Amino acid sequence: VQLQASGGGLVQPGGSLRLSCAASGSIFRINAMGWYRQAPGKQRELVASITSGGSTNYADSVKGRFTISRDNAKNTVYLQMNSLKPEDTAVYYCKADVVVDMWARQYAYWGQGTLVTVSS
């Protein structure tokens, strides 16, 4: 199973970006999917997560600005980021809890990370 993240880049404060992360490979089902971020010198933190049924959870720092969504048919998770702030600068990683077979064996997979820089 591979996760391919895309959509990072340089944006001015107040701007928007949309991240995408597509899972491929031997996938029976995907349960939760999420986005994490890691800023220089800091630990990786949860940004947002979404269950297979669409229930969402957000870090307090991004509530009202970021929206997570997913397309189950495409095994893809998105993160729409609006009103970006310099403190949102980080490498963003996607994560998926993938069930790989009919025996319900589940593993966590991570994408390679995409850099988001918010600066004027």
Side-chain angles (χ1 to χ4, degrees):
V1 176
Q2 291 186 327
L3 271 62
Q4 182 67 45
S6 61
L10 173 64
V11 62
Q12 292 186 342
S16 299
L17 280 176
R18 188 190 194 213
L19 306 183
S20 300
C21 177
S24 62
S26 182
I27 297 170
F28 186 79
R29 183 179 70 248
I30 300 179
N31 289 332
M33 303 183 83
W35 289 95
Y36 292 70
R37 67 186 181 187
Q38 187 166 17
K42 295 187 177 181
Q43 290 188 332
R44 190 173 299 188
E45 63 175 0
L46 174 69
V47 176
S49 64
I50 184 168
T51 68
S52 57
S55 297
T56 58
N57 179 53
Y58 295 92
D60 289 342
S61 59
V62 307
K63 283 181 180 176
R65 300 188 298 121
F66 291 10
T67 302
I68 189 170
S69 61
R70 64 190 283 174
D71 184 333
N72 291 330
K74 296 181 178 180
N75 291 330
T76 300
V77 63
Y78 306 96
L79 186 68
Q80 178 65 45
M81 304 185 293
N82 299 327
S83 302
L84 282 160
K85 304 175 181 180
E87 51 263 43
D88 294 318
T89 296
V91 177
Y92 284 70
Y93 298 90
C94 56
K95 176 179 175 281
D97 295 330
V98 180
V99 176
V100 298
D101 57 31
M102 62 186 295
W103 294 277
R105 289 185 296 181
Q106 177 176 295
Y107 302 97
Y109 293 91
W110 291 86
Q112 83 283 9
T114 184
L115 177 62
V116 173
T117 303
V118 184
S119 175
S120 55

